Amino acid sequence: LAAGALALPAAAQDATLARIDMPAGWAPEGITTDGTTLYAGSLANGASLQADPMSGEPSVLVEGADGLIVAGIEYDDYGRLWAAGATGAEVRVYDAESGELLATYPFEGGFLNDLAATPDAVYVSDSFVPQVAVVPLGEDGALPAPEETSTLPISGDLQYGEGFNANGIVAAPGGLVIVHSGLGQLYRVDPATGESSLIDTGDADLTAGDGLELVDDTVYVMRNRAGEIVAVELDSELATGTVTGIATSDDFDVATTVAALGDDLWVVNARFGIEPSPDNEYWMSRVDAPAPTDG
């Protein structure tokens, strides 16, 4: 497995905007990037938008529809956007340029939450059922038939209980990394067997851990209701993790997921503390990646 931030043109690394306003009522949860453009999905109706981090101009890429949901969203190496359907228990994939729906993959699941795309497969966390949904990719990223998908039961240290369990997921060279929201712990999951092992992060507080973003050997953990992004440096075996910095902002309002663009981190604010309404304001926020902590 391989993962990491994409190489960026110089212009994309010079973003100065602190906020990008989204359409009223958008209700975002997931955010991703292709290295120059930001993409965000909608819990309200399954739509997806794209936004230029330099100009701040958002535009709808995928139109919404009644009954659809987008929780996590992920850009892959083949110019596609993957959307996790939450309680809809399906994964959809779109052309990231045209917004065309390319395929839909139904699963027997509880809450398909977040995604990790590799050149060989797309992995989707399930917050209610101890499993990872897997969409295998063929040669040059060819999309499979729906019957070729599978679920990977999780065994080992990662145990499910009441409420939300597995949430954010990323693919590292040593395996999948998943955060358990309620326990505030990171776990390595073997993508072949589903065997999980606790990543020792010492006394780090990762409760309310939501979306994850991996850049080299650092995973950024978005703690949604805590309003902070925790940078955790992982060892090559995914056995230990050390907190190297924390970023926060007064602009966060239950920020759920994070995407890295150069030295910037962009988040979407889900604002779970307010009643859903088509008039609600939503936005993306930008912060500098956390500076290393002393010691």
Side-chain angles (χ1 to χ4, degrees):
L1 300 176
L6 299 172
L8 304 180
Q13 300 184 46
D14 293 333
T16 55
L17 293 177
R19 172 192 283 219
I20 295 176
D21 290 325
M22 308 172 79
W26 188 264
E29 203 279 343
I31 187 172
T32 189
T33 180
D34 62 2
T36 57
T37 301
L38 297 164
Y39 302 90
S42 170
L43 292 170
N45 60 9
S48 294
L49 61 72
Q50 56 188 359
D52 183 335
M54 299 296 293
S55 69
E57 292 292 335
S59 61
V60 175
L61 178 67
V62 178
E63 295 289 343
D66 289 343
L68 291 184
I69 302 172
V70 174
I73 189 169
E74 177 82 340
Y75 184 88
D76 73 7
D77 289 345
Y78 307 102
R80 300 178 301 219
L81 284 178
W82 294 80
T87 52
E90 68 179 20
V91 176
R92 300 182 297 277
V93 56
Y94 301 90
D95 184 294
E97 184 173 346
S98 68
E100 176 189 359
L101 177 64
L102 302 177
T104 299
Y105 297 103
F107 286 91
E108 292 291 331
F111 191 102
L112 297 183
N113 198 331
D114 209 351
L115 313 99
T118 77
D120 302 313
V122 175
Y123 301 91
V124 190
S125 63
D126 191 321
S127 294
F128 293 164
V129 180
Q131 65 182 15
V132 175
V134 183
V135 182
L137 302 178
E139 186 175 357
D140 296 325
L143 295 173
E147 60 270 18
E148 295 178 85
T149 63
S150 63
T151 53
L152 181 70
I154 296 175
S155 59
D157 291 344
L158 177 49
Q159 297 292 311
Y160 278 48
E162 295 289 333
F164 271 73
N165 295 273
N167 200 324
I169 181 172
V170 291
L176 302 172
V177 177
I178 291 177
V179 65
H180 188 296
S181 293
L183 298 177
Q185 300 283 4
L186 294 175
Y187 296 85
R188 176 193 180 272
V189 176
D190 188 318
T193 67
E195 178 72 19
S196 66
S197 56
L198 177 68
I199 298 173
D200 183 1
T201 56
D203 59 359
D205 187 355
L206 303 178
T207 52
D210 202 324
L212 302 180
E213 177 78 326
L214 185 68
V215 179
D216 299 325
D217 58 359
T218 295
V219 62
Y220 294 104
V221 182
M222 183 72 250
R223 298 183 63 213
N224 53 32
R225 294 189 184 275
E228 64 180 31
I229 304 167
V230 182
V232 181
E233 184 176 346
L234 303 172
D235 77 319
S236 60
E237 302 299 320
L238 302 183
T240 63
T242 303
V243 173
T244 59
I246 295 175
T248 188
S249 170
D250 292 338
D251 203 45
F252 290 174
D253 191 343
V254 192
T256 47
T257 49
V258 56
L261 260 175
D263 294 329
D264 298 323
L265 298 177
W266 284 90
V267 308
V268 286
N269 295 281
R271 308 195 72 196
F272 289 149
I274 62 174
E275 286 293 325
S277 165
D279 298 323
N280 287 343
E281 295 181 357
Y282 293 97
W283 61 92
M284 303 177 184
S285 303
R286 181 185 64 84
V287 294
D288 294 334
T293 54
D294 294 337

